[in-house]
Amino acid sequence: MSDILIRGGTVVNADRQFRADVLCVDGKIHSVGEALQAPVGAQVVDAGGQYVMPGGIDPHTHMQLPFMGSVTMDDFFTGTAAGLAGGTTSIIDFVIPNPQQSLMEAYRTWRGWAEKSASDYGFHVAVTWWSDAVREDMGTLVRDEGVNSFKHFMAYKNAIMCDDETLVNSFRRAMELGAMPTVHAENGELVFLLQAEMARKGITGPEAHPLSRPPGVEGEAANRAIAIADVLGVPIYVVHVSCIEAAEAVARARARGQRVYGEVLAGHLVIDDSVYRNPDFAYAAGHVMSPPFRPKGNQEFLWRGLQSGNLHTTATDHCTFCAEQKAGGKDDFSKIPNGCGGVEERLAVLWEHGVNTGRLTPSEFVAVTSANTAKLFNIYPQKGCIAPGADADIVVWDPQGSKTLSAKTQHSKGDFNIFEGMTVHGIPSHTLSQGNLVYVQGDLRVTAGAGRYIKRPSFGANFDAAQKRIDSRKPSAVLR
Ligand code: URQ
Ligand code: ZN
Ligand code: ZN
């Protein structure tokens, strides 16, 4: 690996932007400053007129996921390669054990699948059932495997859905371990009932998908998960907040001082539910994901959540199924595999609709595409900032560049693109992963297996402190 000097750019971190060169040596950022000299033999990247930013971190992807009878089109190589082409240099994916399956067994399976990754990766581990063994495995995962976040699906009844008993036990265990519980917040019982009602009414097409998961279904689950976390004194991270009801639940809890964090998908920021009323099945089904795209008005509320600091990270929930797989639900929308792509497009969509509209500054863009995820999942400043000692995961961003997003030109193996036809102004010109140039002006130079598994330390067992806080709330004096 040769040294690389990125010269003439403007460095953008979450806290500020400034003119500086960046020298990368042996996979790390060696120095950041004005007029740096290029070591003999170093490659020089001309970043004049461009931004030099921490590579994107996508905290929510599903590469190679077996789900609803299909396996997603992107595996860990093609999915991470697509991410690198879009400036995302690491992902946090999900180990999703079947109910009754050992968490450690599922973890080892996913670790095997991920060995082919082209960029760095980590895993949230889903708790899909409860037992002493699950409790034990959570401890092993935190202590030995660098897992510091556990996912809970409150949707997907009769599959991976958690009941309240599992939520309570697992959240409590996460607090003991100093790990972050995260939730997919939709009330799975309501979804199940509403899906059956759609069937009874003979509404079987993708237009029924949003009707079976209205915003209230997400709002209820978000409030419930947040309330459980509050009583237990544990922080909580709500993934893919898609609607006003859930965003308000997060904001209300934060206003009361509760440690609640919200994630927004790039798709939910710019796409509305009209997609489901398109008469073309493949088009409408291509947008079937959960929570669904929402009525106009929700998108602007989510942007304001990012601007206000009540929503913290952006992700994609990259979970790509092809038209043939989606057609499995041709006669029954509830059988359409849920999931859409986006891992390559996220940064450009956030720049076009965030920075170019004035909603976000470049520093806020870095916060919501990289730094906040690194901080919330405890890998900052190894990742998420341009500073000496950090991993040389860098995107050189050309604000003058433009492209039209399309399934025809995407690197994902999916055959659909929810951003199809969107022209963006501001695109990566270069991506560095571990100090290697892996994307250069349209030329993708990735290597399967080059990615590393990134351990994420626990937040320190703060169980005693949290327990004291809970105890302090118990009414001490018996009211007479
Ligand atoms: O629910 C999720 O996050 C996974 C199963 C991807 N699918 C989706 O529709 N979001
Ligand atoms: Zn989800
Ligand atoms: Zn997901």
Side-chain angles (χ1 to χ4, degrees):
M1 167 193 315
S2 69
D3 300 347
I4 296 180
L5 177 64
I6 302 170
R7 181 180 276 161
T10 296
V11 168
V12 186
N13 281 322
D15 59 346
R16 70 189 181 105
Q17 63 183 67
F18 54 103
R19 238 297 300 132
D21 301 339
V22 179
L23 176 61
C24 307
V25 176
D26 294 340
K28 295 284 189 185
I29 294 175
H30 177 273
S31 35
V32 179
E34 299 258 13
L36 296 184
Q37 292 307 307
V40 173
Q43 294 181 73
V44 178
V45 172
D46 176 5
Q50 301 185 67
Y51 294 105
V52 181
M53 303 189 284
I57 305 173
D58 191 334
H60 192 152
T61 61
H62 299 283
M63 307 307 178
Q64 215 158 331
L65 175 69
F67 186 59
M68 295 179 72
S70 296
V71 178
T72 54
M73 293 300 289
D74 279 313
D75 63 22
F76 277 91
F77 173 58
T78 62
T80 50
L84 289 169
T88 285
T89 51
S90 49
I91 64 172
I92 308 180
D93 206 283
F94 291 85
V95 173
I96 307 180
N98 295 316
Q100 308 302 319
Q101 181 185 18
S102 145
L103 269 61
M104 288 311 296
E105 179 192 300
Y107 170 75
R108 281 190 281 274
T109 298
W110 255 268
R111 283 293 306 269
W113 291 345
E115 298 222 329
K116 61 173 86 72
S117 296
S119 69
D120 286 354
Y121 58 92
F123 285 114
H124 311 287
V125 177
V127 176
T128 55
W129 63 295
W130 190 254
S131 71
D132 288 346
V134 169
R135 189 179 190 286
E136 200 55 38
D137 281 355
M138 289 174 75
T140 305
L141 287 163
V142 171
R143 193 181 54 244
D144 302 341
E145 302 298 334
V147 170
N148 69 12
S149 49
F150 291 98
K151 174 73 172 291
H152 306 79
F153 290 94
M154 300 171 76
Y156 307 126
K157 179 178 169 69
N158 298 331
I160 54 178
M161 183 174 99
C162 279
D163 61 15
D164 283 4
E165 180 182 9
T166 298
L167 291 179
V168 165
N169 283 316
S170 183
F171 280 26
R172 172 102 169 163
R173 181 59 169 153
M175 185 178 73
E176 288 170 6
L177 296 168
M180 177 82 84
T182 81
V183 289
H184 171 132
E186 286 185 298
N187 182 310
E189 298 293 350
L190 280 171
V191 172
F192 188 72
L193 184 137
L194 293 173
Q195 286 178 333
E197 285 197 356
M198 291 297 127
R200 255 200 304 284
K201 291 174 180 171
I203 308 174
T204 60
E207 71 280 8
H209 181 66
L211 304 177
S212 67
R213 317 175 90 98
V217 162
E218 185 180 345
E220 185 281 332
N223 278 294
R224 176 161 37 109
I226 289 169
I228 292 171
D230 191 26
V231 169
L232 294 177
V234 68
I236 185 170
Y237 177 94
V238 184
V239 307
H240 50 43
V241 172
S242 77
C243 62
I244 293 169
E245 287 78 353
E248 280 182 336
V250 172
R252 239 190 335 267
R254 289 181 58 81
R256 291 197 319 269
Q258 190 178 345
R259 285 194 174 86
V260 180
Y261 306 100
E263 172 195 281
V264 187
L265 303 187
H268 283 138
L269 285 165
V270 296
I271 298 168
D272 65 60
D273 65 348
S274 59
V275 295
Y276 299 115
R277 296 188 284 277
N278 188 302
D280 176 69
F281 173 85
Y283 180 85
H287 289 88
V288 167
M289 67 156 297
S290 296
F293 296 105
R294 297 298 188 183
K296 279 194 187 319
N298 283 274
Q299 298 75 25
E300 193 53 41
F301 200 90
L302 297 175
W303 279 113
R304 296 177 73 82
L306 289 175
Q307 288 172 249
S308 67
N310 277 320
L311 296 173
H312 305 84
T313 63
T314 60
T316 62
D317 204 350
H318 189 88
C319 185
T320 48
F321 296 103
C322 66
E324 187 183 350
Q325 292 172 317
K326 292 276 189 175
K330 193 106 180 71
D331 303 320
D332 176 358
F333 73 95
S334 70
K335 300 281 187 297
I336 298 171
N338 283 208
C340 298
V343 74
E344 181 173 356
E345 294 82 11
R346 175 176 63 118
L347 267 59
V349 169
L350 263 288
W351 190 271
E352 175 70 10
H353 295 278
V355 177
N356 290 346
T357 59
R359 288 183 173 116
L360 299 175
T361 65
S363 282
E364 289 167 337
F365 170 88
V366 166
V368 301
T369 59
S370 182
N372 287 353
T373 289
K375 291 172 182 173
L376 285 172
F377 295 109
N378 215 11
I379 50 177
Y380 186 91
Q382 177 192 351
K383 297 199 183 288
C385 78
I386 301 288
D391 288 353
D393 287 356
I394 299 171
V395 57
V396 181
W397 195 263
D398 176 4
Q400 306 308 321
S402 70
K403 70 183 288 189
T404 299
L405 306 178
S406 171
K408 296 182 193 65
T409 52
Q410 69 188 16
H411 289 87
S412 163
K413 278 183 60 186
D415 58 6
F416 192 79
N417 190 311
I418 55 173
F419 306 108
E420 187 71 38
M422 181 188 289
T423 298
V424 292
H425 304 84
I427 56 176
S429 65
H430 299 74
T431 304
L432 285 80
S433 173
Q434 301 173 52
N436 293 305
L437 275 168
V438 292
Y439 179 78
V440 178
Q441 282 151 340
D443 178 19
L444 193 55
R445 311 169 175 173
V446 290
T447 307
R452 300 168 302 179
Y453 173 69
I454 300 297
K455 288 195 167 187
R456 295 174 290 117
S458 85
F459 297 88
N462 52 11
F463 178 67
D464 294 342
Q467 191 57 54
K468 283 196 184 75
R469 220 172 21 252
I470 296 167
D471 294 346
S472 68
R473 290 182 183 165
K474 287 180 182 129
S476 47
V478 176
L479 299 179
R480 295 196 185 291

